[in-house]
Amino acid sequence: MRFLFLFFIRNAVRSRRVVWMTVLGLVPVAIAVVRVLAANLLGTNVDASGFFLRLTSSLYLHILLPLLSALIGTGIVAEEVEDRTLPYLLSRPIPKRRIVVSKSLSACLIVCMIIFLSLVVSYTLLTAGGGIRSYLSNLGSLFHITAVLCLGSLVYVPFFGMLGAAIKRPVLVGLLFAFGWENIVANFPSKIRLFTVVYYLKELLPQTDTTTMGGGIGDILDYFASGAALSPVVAVAALSAMFVVFSGITVSFLYLKEYRMEQG
Amino acid sequence: MKIEVDKLSKWYGQVIGVNNCTFTLKPGVTGFLGPNGAGKTTILRLLTGQLKPSKGSVTIEGEPVWNNHRLFRAIGYCPEHDAFWQYLTGWDFVYSLMRMHGYSKGESAARAERAIGTVDMMSDRSKRIGSYSKGMRQRIKLAQAIAHDPQVLFLDEPLNGMDPVGRRMAIDLIKQMGGEGRTVVVSSHILHEVEEMTDTILLLNHGRLLAEGNIYEIRRLIDTHPLQVTVQCEEIDVLMSKLVAYDDVQSVQFDRQRNRLTVETIRPDEFFDRLPDIVLENKIHVESLWSPDENLEAVFDYLVR
């Protein structure tokens, strides 16, 4: 299991897909740079922690996390089918579930690493002006946010992996789910939002003042939405259950479904 | 190890890939022979558990293959696809697959080295597979299939794209493994390739098992089956007048627009022995020469009729 995990990590970090994903992960960094430059030019103070939290909610949670998870997660099985390397894995004396779990975990780690790298750089840029004290004072938030987003990747990646194992165009369907269902339904005031991942993740993030948020469909809908807060224990339990269910379904697909490699 | 295939069928929607095949594979080399699309690759994928039978069964030593990962300790598989994790070197590729077999680092390295040496790839083992030629990729695929010393070996068109030296090496290796008492199954659409490896063949066409047994019977059938040969040259009248004099030539057809002459002969060997002499003596400038039905397809059509 350890070797398989490291094997998939090694393959992933050398792939072009992950290089592009890392570049994508730098978009929030660019926004942080613009914000800092604008503040310097206009001579205004940057509310570093406030802006960082808003950046986290609007960009990382609603866009970057689902996008990276969709693009990397859908490849768990589909990539091996498209690259026609699946027969090499399936002709080894290893259970199929071990292949899926190892590759899912490696995909989660890749997503987490890209997000963590991007968060650390954004955070450093935004808080650098305030000195070391300002930097250290909100370090807890940085790790809190990273932990929540990593937990999110542990649910999103198996979900998108499940799509990749089940259907032919998983990325398209995955993006529709990420930016349709997740970004809109999670903000509905009804109980239907319990069927989204982002709802639970939002409950776990450090709370922000939504009335001052500057953009994003999620933020705008947040303003109109209301509802009782969920306890962190329930949110973590719900996310854990989703992780188990999505991983289980992905594994089942590999046992039940056969993958015909196209002649090449 | 004994491989039993019983009333095996595989269909994809309305399309039948394999149709009610029953056979047993025993130790030694067995060739799966058939034209492209005959169902060879589908049967090999069923034998290696890549596909699930629609009907019937595939068992190795009495155990079903589908979803039975334990069997793969004893199975080596060289797929037809020219597909790899392109970022790996040849050595990384074989070593990684050995690690997936559960061997320790040292044991995997030793096995990888031995297998890569067997396929004469030691000098190129540190190059990325992406930079390999087709023949080198075929060799490294073969190395991963044999590195764990399997008792059963499934090789799907293993000689495709190999240079003559590589082909010789692969043929000798396959014969040697069969001679050691392993069950080796090789698929090919080229008769003489299979002929060099084994006497035992399964003849497939359109997903059906047409014949099972000795390759020389098939060869005899091919030799007695009239062969069409088309010659393209300026001097078709001269060539025709010379060829019709021989009793093995059954018919001759002209295509004056394209300067082509199609001859049907019942003794191809004699025909090909004679043709160069006729061409040289009569100063005929042959632009091209080919046999439209030289491939197995014609023989299969003949067998099915």
Side-chain angles (χ1 to χ4, degrees):
Chain A
M1 177 99 164
R2 189 167 153 263
F3 178 80
L4 262 182
F5 172 72
L6 294 173
F7 175 78
F8 290 130
I9 288 276
R10 260 201 315 272
N11 273 352
V13 294
R14 284 186 266 189
S15 72
R16 268 197 209 126
R17 185 190 287 220
V18 169
V19 173
W20 284 112
M21 296 301 105
T22 310
V23 172
L24 199 64
L26 294 176
V27 171
V29 175
I31 291 171
V33 169
V34 170
R35 175 70 194 220
V36 171
L37 287 176
N40 284 342
L41 284 172
L42 299 171
T44 55
N45 285 329
V46 179
D47 172 16
S49 65
F51 186 77
F52 182 67
L53 289 176
R54 288 198 293 279
L55 193 68
T56 304
S57 175
S58 56
L59 259 179
Y60 285 96
L61 182 67
H62 286 286
I63 297 174
L64 201 59
L65 173 66
L67 185 62
L68 290 178
S69 302
L71 295 175
I72 294 176
T74 48
I76 290 172
V77 175
E79 193 180 42
E80 304 294 340
V81 176
E82 279 165 27
D83 295 347
R84 294 175 289 164
T85 44
L86 193 63
Y88 294 119
L89 297 172
L90 295 185
S91 57
R92 305 296 132 191
I94 36 177
K96 290 175 179 176
R97 66 174 177 279
R98 202 175 289 175
I99 297 169
V100 172
V101 172
S102 304
K103 194 149 189 209
S104 298
L105 290 177
S106 72
C108 287
L109 185 68
I110 297 283
V111 171
C112 290
M113 290 301 288
I114 295 171
I115 285 177
F116 180 63
L117 182 79
S118 174
L119 275 171
V120 168
V121 178
S122 302
Y123 178 81
T124 307
L125 281 168
L126 287 167
T127 57
I132 192 78
R133 184 168 290 181
S134 164
Y135 185 83
L136 292 174
S137 64
N138 288 306
L139 214 50
S141 294
L142 173 68
F143 289 118
H144 182 167
I145 290 162
T146 305
V148 173
L149 294 177
C150 286
L151 186 63
S153 81
L154 278 169
V155 180
Y156 276 128
V157 167
F159 174 79
F160 292 119
M162 181 182 79
L163 287 184
I167 57 176
K168 276 215 163 161
R169 304 217 187 290
V171 177
L172 184 69
V173 178
L175 292 178
L176 281 174
F177 170 81
F179 299 110
W181 182 266
E182 283 290 278
N183 265 338
I184 297 169
V185 176
N187 294 286
F188 283 179
S190 67
K191 291 218 183 327
I192 196 169
R193 62 187 178 170
L194 292 171
F195 294 100
T196 65
V197 180
V198 76
Y199 170 70
Y200 300 96
L201 294 174
K202 279 176 84 168
E203 295 297 324
L204 292 171
L205 277 178
Q207 294 307 302
T208 54
D209 177 6
T210 55
T211 56
T212 60
M213 283 182 187
I217 301 163
D219 299 334
I220 295 160
L221 288 170
D222 256 357
Y223 183 78
F224 298 101
S226 63
L230 209 62
S231 92
V233 177
V234 174
V236 171
L239 291 168
S240 305
M242 287 186 212
F243 165 75
V244 171
V245 169
F246 297 149
S247 300
I249 295 174
T250 312
V251 169
S252 306
F253 269 116
L254 216 55
Y255 277 95
L256 298 170
K257 199 178 163 189
E258 57 185 19
Y259 294 91
R260 287 175 65 193
M261 310 292 124
E262 299 304 323
Q263 300 288 332
Chain B
M1 291 178 103
K2 195 173 171 186
I3 302 165
E4 286 181 308
V5 171
D6 185 35
K7 295 182 185 118
L8 181 67
S9 294
K10 178 71 195 172
W11 54 79
Y12 312 101
Q14 300 289 315
V15 180
I16 293 182
V18 176
N19 191 359
N20 201 29
C21 288
T22 299
F23 55 87
T24 302
L25 300 168
K26 290 175 184 160
V29 181
T30 302
F32 277 8
L33 194 61
N36 290 325
K40 304 183 298 289
T41 296
T42 305
I43 291 187
L44 278 178
R45 287 182 189 164
L46 287 157
L47 289 171
T48 53
Q50 311 288 317
L51 295 178
K52 186 181 179 183
S54 303
K55 205 177 161 194
S57 64
V58 180
T59 56
I60 295 181
E61 290 291 290
E63 284 195 53
V65 182
W66 173 250
N67 277 340
N68 191 350
H69 65 272
R70 285 176 201 89
L71 275 177
F72 287 94
R73 287 199 188 287
I75 296 174
Y77 176 44
C78 177
E80 181 196 18
H81 292 305
D82 188 29
F84 300 90
W85 294 283
Q86 297 286 332
Y87 305 98
L88 298 182
T89 64
W91 194 89
D92 281 340
F93 176 63
V94 182
Y95 170 81
S96 299
L97 292 174
M98 286 307 99
R99 293 282 282 140
M100 289 180 203
H101 265 272
Y103 295 118
S104 66
K105 284 181 187 173
E107 178 69 15
S108 297
R111 283 178 179 273
E113 198 144 316
R114 198 160 53 236
I116 290 170
T118 305
V119 298
D120 292 337
M121 284 286 290
M122 280 305 274
S123 55
D124 295 302
R125 69 186 187 279
S126 303
K127 290 181 187 164
R128 276 170 59 166
I129 296 177
S131 70
Y132 281 1
S133 67
K134 167 93 179 173
M136 288 157 87
R137 292 199 296 270
Q138 284 293 95
R139 286 174 187 231
I140 212 74
K141 250 179 8 183
L142 196 55
Q144 64 80 29
I146 61 167
H148 56 291
D149 217 14
Q151 281 305 301
V152 179
L153 197 54
F154 296 110
L155 309 171
D156 199 352
E157 303 270 4
L159 307 184
N160 254 3
M162 274 193 188
D163 57 80
V165 178
R167 292 168 98 87
R168 186 74 267 150
M169 175 279 299
I171 289 169
D172 290 345
L173 179 65
I174 290 164
K175 282 163 78 175
Q176 182 201 325
M177 296 194 86
E180 289 167 358
R182 297 171 214 266
T183 308
V184 184
V185 180
V186 188
S187 83
S188 177
H189 62 281
I190 299 167
L191 179 67
H192 74 260
E193 258 181 24
V194 178
E195 204 172 12
E196 283 193 72
M197 295 180 227
T198 182
D199 298 345
T200 312
I201 61 157
L202 294 178
L203 204 58
L204 298 157
N205 198 26
H206 299 307
R208 285 170 54 213
L209 181 61
L210 286 187
E212 186 180 359
N214 192 290
I215 199 163
Y216 299 110
E217 290 297 309
I218 303 300
R219 169 54 85 182
R220 192 182 52 76
L221 204 55
I222 288 169
D223 288 347
T224 55
H225 175 60
L227 182 80
Q228 281 193 341
V229 180
T230 300
V231 185
Q232 188 168 1
C233 62
E234 291 286 331
E235 305 83 357
I236 50 172
D237 293 319
V238 181
L239 183 60
M240 189 202 71
S241 65
K242 296 292 170 190
L243 290 175
V244 290
Y246 296 95
D247 63 355
D248 63 290
V249 174
Q250 288 199 321
S251 69
V252 179
Q253 287 177 315
F254 280 112
D255 181 350
R256 286 198 184 278
Q257 276 190 325
R258 290 187 285 182
N259 285 331
R260 284 180 185 172
L261 185 73
T262 300
V263 182
E264 196 173 66
T265 169
I266 53 167
R267 291 194 293 277
D269 291 345
E270 282 180 31
F271 177 84
F272 284 117
D273 282 347
R274 183 193 313 135
L275 190 63
D277 294 336
I278 296 173
V279 166
L280 286 173
E281 280 167 20
N282 298 280
K283 296 188 172 59
I284 295 168
H285 299 94
V286 176
E287 288 170 36
S288 58
L289 179 144
W290 71 96
S291 175
D293 66 355
E294 196 174 41
N295 55 29
L296 282 167
E297 199 96 47
V299 179
F300 290 121
D301 288 346
Y302 177 75
L303 281 170
V304 175
R305 276 205 300 269

